[in-house]
Amino acid sequence: MAENDENDVLKSTQVVIEEALLKLGFKEDMIDLLKEPIRVLSVRIPVKMDNGVTKMFTGYRAQHNDAVGPTKGGVRFHPAVTENEVKALSIWMSLKCGIADLPYGGGKGGVICDPRKMSFGELERLSRGYVRAVSQIVGPTKDIPAPDVMTNSQIMAWMLDEYSRIREFDSPGFITGKPIVLGGSRGRETATARGVVIMIHEALALKGIELNKARIVIQGFGNAGSYLAKFMHEAGARVIGISDVNGALYNEDGLDIPYLLDRRDSFGNVTNLFPQTISNSDLLELDCDVLVPAAIENQITEDNAPRIKATIVVEAANGPTTLEATRILTERGILLIPDVLASAGGVIVSYFEWVQNNQGFYWDEQEVDDRLRVMMIRGFNQVYEIHKSRNVNMRLAAYMAGVRKMAEAVRYRGWV
């Protein structure tokens, strides 16, 4: 695969999807269907800005496949959103749902914008405009959105309210990641990080490393990264490195995580308050037991993979490790827990929220956490068993576990 293909998240995803389906015994027609989303909508959203000028924003919604059930996935607001990225993310959501055995296919949405440069009112008008633009293809039995990069429970609340106005009835199951007072689930905000914690526990146990002696490095200090740092610190592990977009902090004796959490801003920035920092690239190569990329795509590549000193890499971000880097890490004996497994906690608890909305009966946080643990460990064991029995790397094993249910549903429906 050419280098530009290697860093193209859609093309690299399609390569592994094809390999997984072939390993499972499916033919070319299944590969042709599942390597692309079944439906992609591109929209233009007019938003009146605070200065009185109407600005046009471009947005997307991709629905990978709905053979298993309605599609499910977040909406990100980010200046680097592209159609191909949204397509790839929808496929990854399908895989996460398959690994967790949820009754969903994958969906994903995005709007090209920079929320850091928008006012509260402008963000509300953009959120409502996005829902109006995609309202024909979403809904509690069609496609259920959720928070993603640079979106949060407030944005979900505006989207819910707009959808309820359009449909003229209250529909809490239309969207997940909502505030609890609007039907959100307890434990949803921390779900991705808690899922990663469970994976770290399982991986450390496999490697014979005690949690309270583990050295953890976390790239990214947003929602997932900051909660992960908090949970690891509280569990007694040493968090020796964290980073944000401005740089990274490192202390071999362990960072003061409560202090950093108190000082971070709403976008996860904290390193700009410190005179002595290291680069994100240096952070990735620190000597540690567990490295958690929790930022953006393509952070571990064939260039730096030979210098990664972690015993375990747990992907909390989407697509942080390229395929060539995956091969290098595997050959070096580094245990990689791929993104479609490690970060499945968010969609699992989103599923719990949807179930609670449909039932009108709500669970306490302990029940949410207990159910999450059972499903994450079951997914880990399934992927690890395929990895060992089929002699494939952990990423391919996860793709095989994730795509199998969808492919079988497609076959039963007679689509191919």
Side-chain angles (χ1 to χ4, degrees):
M1 187 163 45
E3 185 176 347
N4 61 334
D5 286 357
E6 164 78 357
N7 293 326
D8 182 315
V9 290
L10 178 59
K11 287 181 180 175
S12 60
T13 299
Q14 290 170 333
V15 166
V16 189
I17 282 280
E18 178 171 1
E19 190 175 359
L21 287 167
L22 288 173
K23 288 272 187 187
L24 291 168
F26 291 99
K27 296 186 172 61
E28 196 65 37
D29 50 3
M30 188 71 76
I31 295 167
D32 284 345
L33 177 64
L34 296 183
K35 72 181 183 182
E36 289 272 353
I38 207 163
R39 193 175 297 110
V40 182
L41 180 64
S42 173
V43 297
R44 296 280 281 163
I45 308 160
V47 176
K48 182 153 285 193
M49 308 302 281
D50 291 346
N51 62 6
V53 174
T54 297
K55 184 176 178 180
M56 300 298 296
F57 291 86
T58 299
Y60 305 99
R61 188 69 188 174
Q63 298 170 345
H64 176 229
N65 191 283
D66 52 10
V68 171
T71 50
K72 178 89 189 72
V75 181
R76 58 178 52 187
F77 285 1
H78 195 277
V81 165
T82 66
E83 184 173 337
N84 271 2
E85 178 193 51
V86 171
K87 284 181 176 182
L89 289 165
S90 74
I91 298 172
W92 291 342
M93 284 302 302
S94 282
L95 297 168
K96 290 180 185 182
C97 294
I99 290 170
D101 197 22
L102 305 181
Y104 293 142
K108 207 70 173 188
V111 178
I112 304 170
C113 67
D114 192 343
R116 294 165 293 192
K117 298 177 181 177
M118 297 174 70
S119 72
F120 207 62
E122 289 168 344
L123 273 176
E124 178 177 357
R125 293 190 288 277
L126 176 61
S127 302
R128 292 180 181 277
Y130 178 78
V131 170
R132 289 194 298 272
V134 302
S135 63
Q136 295 302 307
I137 67 166
V138 296
T141 60
K142 291 182 179 179
D143 181 16
I144 304 115
D148 201 85
V149 175
M150 291 196 194
T151 57
N152 55 28
S153 60
Q154 176 59 76
I155 288 173
M156 299 303 103
W158 288 327
M159 290 185 175
L160 169 67
D161 186 66
E162 192 64 25
Y163 185 82
S164 298
R165 290 184 187 187
I166 294 167
R167 292 288 172 249
E168 297 184 342
F169 60 84
D170 188 47
S171 183
F174 152 66
I175 204 164
T176 59
K178 306 178 292 294
I180 288 176
V181 293
L182 294 179
S185 175
R186 287 171 174 80
R188 172 61 185 87
E189 189 176 358
T190 61
T192 300
R194 287 206 182 276
V196 174
V197 168
I198 294 164
M199 294 297 93
I200 290 174
H201 275 273
E202 296 300 303
L204 287 172
L206 273 177
K207 290 291 187 177
I209 301 170
E210 295 178 30
L211 180 63
N212 59 5
K213 294 180 180 176
R215 297 162 301 151
I216 314 291
V217 170
I218 303 168
Q219 184 201 32
F221 212 52
N223 179 281
S226 61
Y227 276 119
L228 179 60
K230 177 179 186 290
F231 297 151
M232 287 286 95
H233 177 78
E234 290 173 350
R238 256 189 301 156
V239 181
I240 64 171
I242 64 100
S243 74
D244 57 30
V245 293
N246 300 308
L249 302 174
Y250 167 65
N251 185 333
E252 176 60 31
D253 296 324
L255 296 165
D256 186 345
I257 296 302
Y259 177 76
L260 296 178
L261 291 171
D262 185 59
R263 301 298 302 275
R264 71 187 282 274
D265 66 21
S266 60
F267 293 104
N269 297 320
V270 71
T271 63
N272 55 319
L273 303 176
F274 295 84
Q276 289 187 314
T277 61
I278 63 174
S279 69
N280 260 284
S281 57
D282 287 340
L283 177 97
L284 292 171
E285 297 173 18
L286 289 173
D287 187 4
C288 63
D289 297 301
V290 182
L291 171 62
V292 184
I296 55 174
E297 297 98 345
N298 299 326
Q299 295 303 292
I300 303 176
T301 66
E302 62 181 313
D303 294 330
N304 62 0
R307 298 191 299 276
I308 298 296
K309 300 181 185 70
T311 303
I312 300 162
V313 174
V314 182
E315 297 182 335
N318 289 310
T321 310
T322 66
L323 297 187
E324 182 61 19
T326 297
R327 184 189 64 77
I328 294 169
L329 295 180
T330 302
E331 288 179 353
R332 294 183 58 217
I334 295 171
L335 177 60
L336 173 69
I337 312 299
D339 49 3
V340 292
L341 169 59
S343 64
V347 71
I348 290 172
V349 178
S350 272
Y351 166 66
F352 295 164
E353 183 175 331
W354 180 75
V355 168
Q356 292 169 80
N357 293 154
N358 290 342
Q359 289 180 330
F361 179 77
Y362 292 82
W363 311 340
D364 61 31
E365 190 159 353
Q366 189 61 54
E367 182 169 3
V368 171
D369 287 348
D370 290 346
R371 289 177 181 269
L372 172 63
R373 177 174 298 279
V374 168
M375 294 179 78
M376 289 295 298
I377 292 175
R378 186 173 64 199
F380 178 88
N381 290 337
Q382 178 188 14
V383 171
Y384 192 72
E385 191 278 328
I386 293 172
H387 159 65
K388 298 301 284 187
S389 65
R390 303 292 289 267
N391 194 28
V392 296
N393 67 48
M394 285 287 283
R395 189 177 312 285
L396 180 54
Y399 273 56
M400 290 169 69
V403 79
R404 181 163 48 197
K405 179 178 179 180
M406 178 166 289
E408 289 176 354
V410 164
R411 188 178 60 192
Y412 272 117
R413 285 182 179 273
W415 291 0
V416 296

